Amino acid sequence: MNEFRLTQISDTHLARRLTKLTSNFERVADHIEATRPDLVINSGDLAFDAPSHADNLEFARALHDTLPVPCRYLPGNHDIGDNPTEVGAAPECPVNERDRQAYIAAFGDDRWRFEAAGWCFVGLNSLVMNSGLVAEAEQFDWLASELAMSGGRPVALFLHKPIFLNTPEDPELEATAIRYVPFPARRRLTEMLRTANVRLVASGHVHQRRDFTWHGIRHIWAPSAGFIISDKRQERIGIKEVGLVEYRFQPDAFEVRHMRAPGQIDIDLDELLKARD
Ligand SMILES: [Fe+2]
Ligand SMILES: [Fe+2]
């Protein structure tokens, strides 16, 4: 296969009672039906909040099963809980093995690797990083061997949280530590990535669209497919809109298209919370 077309969606945050988010998902599904990529990746926060509402995962899975193309998944903090960080308070809902297993039962492995169009594609569980869970150590060992096996081929990495804001050395700030891969795991991850030909790091989580290149590696922040977060709640870094990202990979090259499915609506989180109460 000389060209591999991949669509990244993220932060769908599905729950049966939040019908506006289901509508946005259905607009995305229509667009996928019309464009028929080779693969869809959802980079996490599939569920609105699975640790507190276990049925959200099941509902999200049923909707993804309607997509007419193969799909791969990665967990988000609203699917399996959040990372502990070096600064700031412990997360309200820390990642744990029980929720990780519930995710795996619903969506399959929380990390994966495959090859297409001369590229190696690697998906990571970013939430176990810095957690001390056995799964964290296992994933780092697995990643080291997968990168060693990539043999100089270009690597595209997918994970829920961006690794950093602008550079790997950005300090971890109390207010924003949960936005990125936390230290010291971040250091270990970035050192490991230097051993391979990584060209793309694609993430979600921030609910903002962003596209920048650092030291030859393109960093794409996919927007949420479901909702935006107002400036009152979250600083503006990239573009606050709902949408998706389309990629075309060819041996040693790739293109990125920032897209919005026809009919997708910029729903504000505050609106959803009001509807929920
Ligand atoms: Fe999210
Ligand atoms: Fe998230």
Side-chain angles (χ1 to χ4, degrees), residues 10-13 44-45 47 77-78 160 204-207 224 227 229:
S10 201
D11 296 84
T12 42
H13 285 279
D45 284 354
N77 49 304
H78 287 280
H160 182 61
H205 181 58
V206 190
H207 292 228
S224 165
F227 66 86
I229 302 171

Side-chain angles (χ1 to χ4, degrees), residues 127-156:
L127 290 317
V128 292
M129 294 180 190
N130 202 40
S131 69
L133 293 176
V134 173
E136 178 188 14
E138 284 174 353
Q139 177 169 255
F140 271 127
D141 289 347
W142 173 85
L143 178 62
S145 76
E146 295 297 341
L147 291 176
M149 282 194 299
S150 66
R153 273 166 296 180
V155 174

